Amino acid sequence: MPHPQSKGRLRALGVATAGIAALYMGLTAYDKPESLVRALMIPTMRLLPAETGCNLALLACKYRLYPASNYEDNVNLRTKFFGCDISNPIGLAAGFDRNGEAVHGLNDLGFGFIEIGSVTPLAQKGSPRSRIFRLSADRAIINRNSIDSDGYQAVAERLRRLRQTDGFNAVVGVNLERNYSSNTPVIDYMAGVKTFGPVADYLVINYSNAKDQGYNANSKNQLIELLEAVNIERAQLKPIKYVPILLKLSPDMTLDEMKDVAAVIDMSTCKVDGLIVSNATMTRDNVSTSKKSQEEGALSGEPLRQRSTTMIAQMYQLINNSVPIIGVGGISSGQDAYEKIEAGASYLQIYTAFVFDGPDLVDRIKSELSDCITEMGYENVQEAIGSNYKRYLPA
Ligand SMILES: Cc1cc2nc3c(=O)[nH]c(=O)nc-3n(C[C@H](O)[C@H](O)[C@H](O)COP(=O)(O)O)c2cc1C
């Protein structure tokens, strides 16, 4: 007799397969596939349990069922991203394509860069379902311990093959994690640098879950140990290439913890090339009360927006603009994106709103952001970075 959990998985797989099959049949029968995808895909996903909806969206990207965007990015969005030229600063945040299966399809949608992962050293299954919850009224998601990973080796091999594909030009970062069961986080991250350094455009040390996982990485000494170790590992790659390393932070850090991060990354032995602010929050601020909102896990989307913007401004001030910040948390419009840039972000990422609104969101944010930059009298996005960060600092 199948275990109830396996039954649930089978049912979810059945729904997803039926959805894809229906979509595929519709696509082949319909003379305007773009309209069909828009008309069917997003409403169908909203009817499905949150994780099944996310998986269906990922499958659609993997098989390139979404029509490629033909939106041409305005020149005022063009920028440099850790040595790569990108046509816009809007990236996909970690967690959507954990195993790097859908990078081509995601690149079709017009992202300036794509972050895959989090990837763990060994393959692992996250905690049992349900573990992702959609809070529709709040345009938010709660997710807990949902990292299903194929492991470093399998994902690195996938990325290596992608890089050899003709016409592949996406900028791809890899977000590194430790296994839930690991007691050796430093060694895990070092292995990540070694494995992905040669194939990634940048690496992310996902430092934001450290507290939940019993590794008290928010202590300054542990952060020093971690960053020194990954820097040593990176130096070994030097004959091959210099890979930028970014540190992703939790929005739940205290001001003292933020100051510690600023002090540590200022040390020459603990160099990072950028910060990602922020991951999802364990708080429940700005969320309407419902049974789902009390589910354990990290909250992302609209309720996180202001918290992450405030933290961007705080970090921008603390690090004195020494390294760029990728701003992420609750962005669902060009105005939201612009506010994060004014607060000090050089680049942006989206996740939750992309799940709610679908692929058209990428072009909409780019177009609105481009307009905001022009309206504010700036020539390009770089000029606006940190231009009003004081406005976002806590009173
Ligand atoms: C379902 C889900 C899974 C996520 N998985 C990861 C992950 O594996 N690694 C990571 O660094 N961040 C992960 N995140 C956090 C996002 O990358 C992002 O930092 C956060 O959701 C805030 O952005 P948003 O409000 O636009 O979603 C996840 C978020 C969600 C909603």
Side-chain angles (χ1 to χ4, degrees):
M1 178 135 147
H3 189 274
Q5 202 180 311
S6 331
K7 258 167 103 186
R9 285 208 185 113
L10 279 175
R11 200 177 310 122
L13 189 69
V15 173
T17 313
I20 289 281
L23 187 68
Y24 181 75
M25 284 187 289
L27 279 174
T28 47
Y30 198 82
D31 61 345
K32 280 199 188 129
E34 292 85 357
S35 328
L36 190 76
V37 169
R38 283 185 185 106
L40 274 186
M41 201 69 174
I42 304 303
T44 307
M45 279 174 206
R46 287 201 189 118
L47 295 175
L48 297 168
E51 185 160 357
T52 314
C54 287
N55 289 345
L56 187 59
L58 181 67
L59 278 178
C61 293
K62 178 172 173 176
Y63 294 106
R64 301 177 87 171
L65 294 180
Y66 288 127
S69 162
N70 51 18
Y71 176 84
E72 204 164 307
D73 295 345
N74 195 312
V75 285
N76 67 359
L77 296 184
R78 258 186 225 160
T79 185
K80 275 261 179 222
F81 182 84
F82 305 106
C84 304
D85 289 313
I86 54 174
S87 65
N88 73 80
I90 312 292
L92 177 70
F96 185 80
D97 185 9
R98 288 226 172 89
N99 292 305
E101 297 169 287
V103 178
H104 263 307
L106 287 163
N107 196 38
D108 287 346
L109 306 181
F111 285 109
F113 60 102
I114 292 160
E115 190 169 310
I116 66 169
S118 297
V119 195
T120 57
L122 303 174
Q124 73 167 28
K125 285 267 164 242
S127 57
R129 292 191 189 194
S130 298
R131 54 196 183 170
I132 298 183
F133 305 89
R134 194 192 289 116
L135 312 183
S136 298
D138 298 302
R139 286 178 56 82
I141 289 178
I142 292 177
N143 100 87
R144 63 170 172 250
N145 296 347
S146 62
I147 300 185
D148 286 346
S149 178
D150 289 347
Y152 285 171
Q153 290 307 332
V155 177
E157 186 48 38
R158 201 167 284 142
L159 195 49
R160 207 166 289 124
R161 267 186 270 120
L162 261 180
R163 297 257 177 234
Q164 287 160 1
T165 318
D166 276 350
F168 180 82
N169 60 358
V171 172
V172 185
V174 181
N175 182 305
L176 305 172
E177 253 295 355
R178 50 177 274 194
N179 284 105
Y180 291 133
S181 58
S182 168
N183 295 317
T184 53
V186 174
I187 293 174
D188 293 353
Y189 286 118
M190 286 170 85
V193 172
K194 185 173 181 180
T195 312
F196 287 101
V199 280
D201 291 306
Y202 69 97
L203 297 175
V204 180
I205 305 293
N206 191 10
Y207 180 59
S208 32
N209 296 335
K211 248 185 184 172
D212 312 340
Q213 294 178 8
Y215 173 61
N216 184 14
N218 287 331
S219 104
K220 196 172 173 181
N221 287 341
Q222 280 174 324
L223 182 60
I224 292 173
E225 185 194 350
L226 176 61
L227 292 183
E228 281 182 343
V230 295
N231 269 285
I232 289 170
E233 195 60 53
R234 167 169 58 185
Q236 312 293 318
L237 298 169
K238 236 180 184 167
I240 306 173
K241 72 168 197 189
Y242 178 85
V243 63
I245 294 181
L246 281 64
L247 190 65
K248 183 165 179 177
L249 303 178
S250 157
D252 302 332
M253 294 180 116
T254 62
L255 182 60
D256 281 342
E257 286 167 341
M258 290 185 223
K259 285 181 181 166
D260 280 349
V261 169
V264 171
I265 67 169
D266 199 34
M267 294 166 60
S268 60
T269 49
C270 295
K271 184 169 160 30
V272 297
D273 300 84
L275 296 176
I276 303 189
V277 183
S278 68
N279 209 314
T281 174
M282 301 309 285
T283 67
R284 291 296 179 266
D285 300 344
N286 310 318
V287 178
S288 46
T289 338
S290 67
K291 215 172 139 206
K292 262 194 207 167
S293 70
Q294 298 315 310
E295 287 289 349
E296 232 178 80
L299 175 80
S300 58
E302 172 58 27
L304 169 67
R305 187 168 53 80
Q306 269 189 349
R307 173 178 279 267
S308 91
T309 309
T310 302
M311 185 171 168
I312 290 166
Q314 289 173 297
M315 286 313 304
Y316 181 80
Q317 185 178 48
L318 286 171
I319 64 174
N320 200 11
N321 194 19
S322 58
V323 291
I325 295 174
I326 299 184
V328 50
I331 298 174
S332 75
S333 69
Q335 181 62 32
D336 299 341
Y338 183 74
E339 286 179 7
K340 285 201 166 31
I341 288 172
E342 269 195 321
S346 298
Y347 317 103
L348 306 157
Q349 286 179 330
I350 56 174
Y351 187 148
T352 302
F354 176 66
V355 171
F356 274 94
D357 296 345
D360 287 352
L361 178 73
V362 185
D363 288 348
R364 181 164 64 74
I365 290 181
K366 290 190 296 188
S367 153
E368 291 172 359
L369 174 62
S370 173
D371 290 348
C372 281
I373 290 166
T374 309
E375 276 160 29
M376 296 306 288
Y378 295 112
E379 282 282 307
N380 55 46
V381 62
Q382 289 96 326
E383 285 183 6
I385 296 166
S387 55
N388 208 355
Y389 76 91
K390 287 192 178 147
R391 181 183 146 199
Y392 298 95
L393 291 172

